[in-house]
Amino acid sequence: TNWLPYAYFSHKLTDKWNYNVSFVTHIYRSSFSDLSNYKNRLSSVLYTQGNPELQPSINYHPQLEVNYGAHSLALSYYYTKDVIADYFETIGGKTYRQTINFGSQTATELNYAFNGKLLPWWRVNVQAMCNYVTIPQSYNQKYSWQQSLTWQNYLTFKDIGNFEVGTIWQSDVVSGN
């Protein structure tokens, strides 16, 4: 049994200004097959094996968000304990893949969003995010800056109809060890 607390507080300062403070806990569990004590031969040199000692991964996420009209700015922090990751080990010319708990991971994120009308017929939804990730025990990249930009345009023309056009850009993302 895991206790997963969360808390949320919101306060409206004026008609346009408000802020939110939250703390959320998430749990990530591996599949049952990863928890089994098995060894499976995939080829003459590649095996996969279970890990009955695998623990769930718990993520703690505090966030502060400030809103002004159609604008939003959020600062988030993520701490993940016992990250679940694939581990590869070569013994005697054979490679074994096993899911393990791989230390901790932290991320700090700044997120800006705007959702409003620029003109009576043109509504836009823009979100920009930058994120700094640390994975201290990683074999490859221990630190990473990640950025993304989403831009959606909603155009409404009388007697013609509605159109939607947008784009998403994202920098390289680290999602492994």
Side-chain angles (χ1 to χ4, degrees):
T1 302
N2 294 97
W3 186 65
L4 303 173
Y6 77 92
Y8 177 81
F9 174 77
S10 179
H11 182 70
K12 186 174 183 177
L13 299 169
T14 68
D15 284 342
K16 289 192 173 192
W17 282 100
N18 72 64
Y19 68 93
N20 310 307
V21 177
S22 63
F23 177 84
V24 180
T25 308
H26 299 278
I27 189 166
Y28 302 98
R29 297 184 190 274
S30 193
S31 67
F32 285 116
S33 63
D34 286 335
L35 294 168
S36 301
N37 190 14
Y38 75 93
K39 189 179 289 185
N40 187 20
R41 179 180 177 202
L42 301 175
S43 73
S44 61
V45 294
L46 183 60
Y47 291 79
T48 184
Q49 60 189 37
N51 181 358
E53 303 300 317
L54 192 60
Q55 296 298 309
S57 180
I58 298 178
N59 177 273
Y60 304 97
H61 174 205
Q63 177 177 292
L64 170 64
E65 180 180 8
V66 179
N67 299 292
Y68 177 76
H71 303 271
S72 174
L73 184 66
L75 177 63
S76 299
Y77 178 78
Y78 302 86
Y79 171 74
T80 306
K81 178 181 158 194
D82 296 326
V83 173
I84 296 172
D86 286 338
Y87 176 73
F88 293 87
E89 182 177 26
T90 302
I91 302 170
K94 295 179 181 170
T95 301
Y96 296 87
R97 185 205 64 86
Q98 184 178 44
T99 305
I100 64 167
N101 293 110
F102 190 77
S104 65
Q105 175 178 321
T106 60
T108 304
E109 181 177 285
L110 184 63
N111 192 323
Y112 168 77
F114 172 78
N115 186 3
K117 285 190 172 186
L118 297 180
L119 297 170
W121 49 270
W122 181 15
R123 185 171 63 85
V124 67
N125 185 343
V126 177
Q127 183 175 12
M129 182 273 297
C130 66
N131 173 314
Y132 183 69
V133 177
T134 62
I135 310 171
Q137 293 181 348
S138 175
Y139 297 118
N140 299 309
Q141 192 168 354
K142 295 180 183 294
Y143 310 98
S144 170
W145 275 105
Q146 302 166 6
Q147 304 87 32
S148 70
L149 176 67
T150 304
W151 185 288
Q152 291 295 118
N153 297 280
Y154 304 93
L155 310 169
T156 303
F157 300 104
K158 190 175 183 179
D159 299 327
I160 297 175
N162 299 323
F163 298 92
E164 179 180 332
V165 62
T167 186
I168 298 173
W169 172 84
Q170 184 173 0
S171 66
D172 292 338
V173 176
V174 175
S175 60
N177 61 9

